[in-house]
Amino acid sequence: MKFRRSGRLVDMTYYLLQHPHALVPLTFFSDQYQSAKSSISEDLTIIKQTFEQRGIGSLLTVPGAAGGVKFIPKIGVSEAKEIISELCTLMAKPERLLPGGYLYLTDILGNPTIVNQIGRLFASVFADRKIDIVMTVATKGIPVAYAVANQLDVPVVIVRKDSKVTEGPTVSINYVSGSSKRIQTMVLSKRSLKTGSNVLIIDDFMKAGGTINGMVSMLEEFNANLAGIGVLVESEGVEERLVDEYISVVKLTDVNVKDKQIDVMDGNFFRFLNQVTL
């Protein structure tokens, strides 16, 4: 079907937004719109400029016979600050306080708009890393993991506390919970990871980091590589942190159970966002 330029621009933009990190040959668009490659290249230049001006992302050109273009989602600093500021406000509400200094996050993790924004944040800050898989642990980290994976265009694997017959043979490891110091078990299907996979670990809440450290140990069992660690909320004031290198969106700095006061601030996200080069 023959498209006018305005129609091509809208349709191409929609396609690229729906297929982040996917390499799209110029011939695909040329055949789709029955247009010359030179016209398609001009259209892509317009889209690239608009994406960058609006802070939506970057459009990379891959040269060569097997080349094409690739849309890399990216979030601007000002938009990221607005999103994280809103998250801090939501999380500081006194009614979120749970025993042990934890926060009630179910309503936030069940809100598609907020979860998609969080996915964009992580996808942006990890944009320059080679990632094949997003890993999380059941259950509350699952929505965030899928939001991140959607932006990175990669699958999700879920580590569980017990095996499921529908997952076939599994690998099981024991790990020490950072907060309770108890030995716990986590399992993962043998079919979940290929040897050499680059894995991004995503979790909703980190106190001492025992669960995340367990997932890192699980990667070793599969001979997979750790590409990065992202946590939505980290808790400050932990005596011994079992995880050193991670990126957090929000930091829980103080909890006053008696007065029901929750102090929340930005995590270390912006320190890493400024280092991303596309």
Side-chain angles (χ1 to χ4, degrees):
M1 176 183 247
K2 190 72 172 177
F3 279 72
R4 294 176 179 268
R5 165 160 284 181
S6 58
R8 289 201 309 266
L9 288 171
V10 171
D11 201 56
M12 290 169 68
T13 299
Y14 176 78
Y15 185 88
L16 292 167
L17 290 173
Q18 294 297 311
H19 298 82
H21 289 271
L23 182 61
V24 185
L26 292 187
T27 52
F28 173 81
F29 287 133
S30 180
D31 294 341
Q32 184 82 2
Y33 308 118
Q34 300 179 17
S35 301
K37 287 186 179 180
S38 58
S39 298
I40 297 298
S41 296
E42 293 173 359
D43 294 344
L44 291 171
T45 299
I46 295 172
I47 295 173
K48 174 182 172 65
Q49 292 173 347
T50 304
F51 279 178
E52 293 176 350
Q53 289 172 359
R54 296 285 296 170
I56 297 173
S58 180
L59 201 60
L60 302 184
T61 301
V62 180
V69 294
K70 184 184 295 186
F71 168 58
I72 309 296
K74 182 75 165 62
I75 197 165
V77 174
S78 59
E79 186 180 2
K81 286 183 177 179
E82 183 178 338
I83 293 172
I84 293 178
S85 176
E86 182 180 352
L87 280 171
C88 288
T89 300
L90 286 172
M91 292 181 182
K93 292 182 177 181
E95 57 266 28
R96 293 195 178 279
L97 188 58
L98 297 172
Y102 289 93
L103 300 183
Y104 177 78
L105 301 175
T106 302
D107 60 330
I108 292 176
L109 298 177
N111 187 313
T113 299
I114 296 176
V115 171
N116 287 336
Q117 289 174 336
I118 296 170
R120 289 181 59 211
L121 290 172
F122 280 126
S124 182
V125 78
F126 288 113
D128 60 347
R129 306 193 191 187
K130 171 61 177 173
I131 297 171
D132 303 309
I133 294 282
V134 172
M135 172 184 283
T136 193
V137 64
T139 59
K140 291 186 178 178
I142 293 176
V144 178
Y146 271 102
V148 177
N150 182 58
Q151 293 291 323
L152 295 174
D153 194 31
V154 297
V156 173
V157 296
I158 301 172
V159 178
R160 303 186 184 276
K161 297 298 176 69
D162 51 13
S163 60
K164 302 291 184 181
V165 66
T166 54
E167 295 187 346
T170 60
V171 173
S172 173
I173 67 165
N174 293 326
Y175 70 100
V176 179
S177 171
S179 54
S180 65
K181 303 297 183 182
R182 293 182 302 177
I183 296 179
Q184 300 188 33
T185 302
M186 60 172 57
V187 299
L188 184 63
S189 170
K190 286 185 177 181
R191 302 184 184 187
S192 296
L193 285 179
K194 295 181 180 179
T195 300
S197 296
N198 300 302
V199 182
L200 171 62
I201 292 177
I202 296 291
D203 206 358
D204 64 311
F205 191 94
M206 181 178 73
K207 204 166 187 179
T211 301
I212 291 177
N213 195 44
M215 285 190 278
V216 173
S217 298
M218 180 68 79
L219 295 184
E220 297 174 359
E221 297 295 321
F222 284 82
N223 292 318
N225 307 311
L226 178 63
I229 298 171
V231 295
L232 175 58
V233 183
E234 66 164 309
S235 179
E236 196 176 56
V238 180
E239 292 184 5
E240 182 184 5
R241 183 85 73 188
L242 301 178
V243 177
D244 294 324
E245 298 182 7
Y246 60 89
I247 296 177
S248 63
V249 174
V250 170
K251 179 184 291 186
L252 179 63
T253 59
D254 187 51
V255 175
N256 189 319
V257 178
K258 181 179 179 181
D259 297 334
K260 292 188 176 181
Q261 181 177 344
I262 304 170
D263 293 332
V264 187
M265 63 178 291
D266 298 353
N268 61 10
F269 177 85
F270 292 105
R271 173 154 46 101
F272 293 91
L273 180 64
N274 294 330
Q275 299 174 4
V276 176
T277 56
L278 298 176

